[in-house]
Amino acid sequence: MIDLLIGCVAGIFIGASGIGAGSILTPLLILRGHDPLTAVTTGLIALVVAKSVGSLQHIVSGHWPERFASRVLLGGLAGAGLGFLLVHQLVTRTQFFESALRMTLGVVLLSIGSAGFLSRRLRFPVPGERHRGALMTLAAVGTGTAVATTSAGSGTILAMVVFPVTNWRVHEFSAVSNVFGLLTGLIGIAAYSRFDTFDPRLLALVSAGSIFGIVIGVIASRRIQRDHFSIALRVLTIVFGLGLIMA
């Protein structure tokens, strides 16, 4: 029942903003008591399912931006490839990998939430055309590594680092973010597939809850104020991050 509720909570955020498959679902499953490997695998599968639907919808709707999208995707693939190698090397050589994975996810979430609040107070200059592409590629590499190893970041990190330095409209960013999450999530699933961490029952419960939550999130999204929602998401990521670090 609790796993069903966790899926519902994550689904509400996914439906309202497209964010939540990794940043909300995975930490909640770990804090619930599931081992980190199973939680991350479940989060990655949920991420891929959600992003597959979003990617198809955006591409069919013609939302793909004309510039810089290929840089972001190539950087994400490179970062996810690095994450693939890290997972394979660390799982087989480190007996404390699950603790390290939980701690890493906690640090990523804490950083995402804190950076979100700092970005509201600090106004960084937009880089020139020459440096913009390099910055986006570098950010995509780091984000791809985070997604493939922890399932978190395909929406939140890109939204904070990449979106502000582009002239993309919201639906164009959402299109890139969905495809980015789909590709890097698939590589993450491939990385964890050899370790027998898939739990069909858990995935079924979480998926059922997520479907219900997504419907609620989509309906509620028209009434939720953007600033309030952003603050709530940042607070939750900080709380989850601290919880994982201190667990």
Side-chain angles (χ1 to χ4, degrees):
M1 182 63 182
I2 296 179
D3 293 329
L4 193 70
L5 181 60
I6 288 174
C8 183
V9 172
I12 291 173
F13 280 89
I14 294 171
S17 67
I19 297 171
S23 301
I24 302 295
L25 177 60
T26 301
L28 279 176
L29 289 176
I30 295 176
L31 293 173
R32 160 87 166 94
H34 295 287
D35 67 89
L37 285 173
T38 300
V40 170
T41 302
T42 303
L44 284 167
I45 295 174
L47 172 72
V48 166
V49 171
K51 297 298 185 181
S52 296
V53 176
S55 297
L56 179 61
Q57 183 176 357
H58 281 295
I59 291 174
V60 169
S61 300
H63 292 169
W64 198 252
E66 294 183 359
R67 304 189 63 196
F68 296 121
S70 59
R71 281 179 173 267
V72 173
L73 293 184
L74 289 174
L77 289 172
L82 176 59
F84 181 95
L85 296 176
L86 287 173
V87 169
H88 275 255
Q89 291 296 321
L90 294 177
V91 168
T92 56
R93 297 184 180 184
T94 306
Q95 60 178 329
F96 303 110
F97 177 76
E98 291 196 357
S99 298
L101 179 59
R102 173 178 51 78
M103 185 69 68
T104 300
L105 178 57
V107 171
V108 168
L109 292 175
L110 183 60
S111 300
I112 290 173
S114 301
F117 281 113
L118 287 174
S119 65
R120 293 174 60 89
R121 295 179 175 275
L122 301 177
R123 292 292 181 265
F124 297 103
V126 176
E129 191 75 17
R130 179 185 301 179
H131 303 292
R132 188 178 304 179
L135 173 63
M136 294 172 68
T137 302
L138 183 61
V141 170
T143 306
T145 304
V147 174
T149 54
T150 70
S151 78
S154 67
T156 46
I157 298 178
L158 287 183
M160 288 188 300
V161 180
V162 172
F163 186 50
V165 300
T166 70
N167 58 357
W168 294 345
R169 289 172 289 181
V170 173
H171 63 270
E172 291 176 328
F173 167 75
S174 184
V176 175
S177 175
N178 273 274
V179 176
F180 184 98
L182 171 61
L183 296 178
T184 55
L186 284 171
I187 294 175
I189 291 174
Y192 284 99
S193 62
R194 62 175 291 189
F195 304 114
D196 193 27
T197 58
F198 176 63
D199 186 339
R201 181 179 178 277
L202 176 62
L203 179 62
L205 288 171
V206 167
S207 298
S210 296
I211 293 172
F212 182 68
I214 288 172
V215 173
I216 296 175
V218 170
I219 296 173
S221 63
R222 295 185 178 184
R223 299 186 177 183
I224 299 174
Q225 293 186 15
R226 176 169 177 161
D227 287 344
H228 293 169
F229 184 84
S230 298
I231 292 173
L233 183 60
R234 289 165 186 155
V235 169
L236 282 177
T237 54
I238 290 175
V239 171
F240 292 157
L242 289 174
L244 291 173
I245 292 172
M246 295 187 296

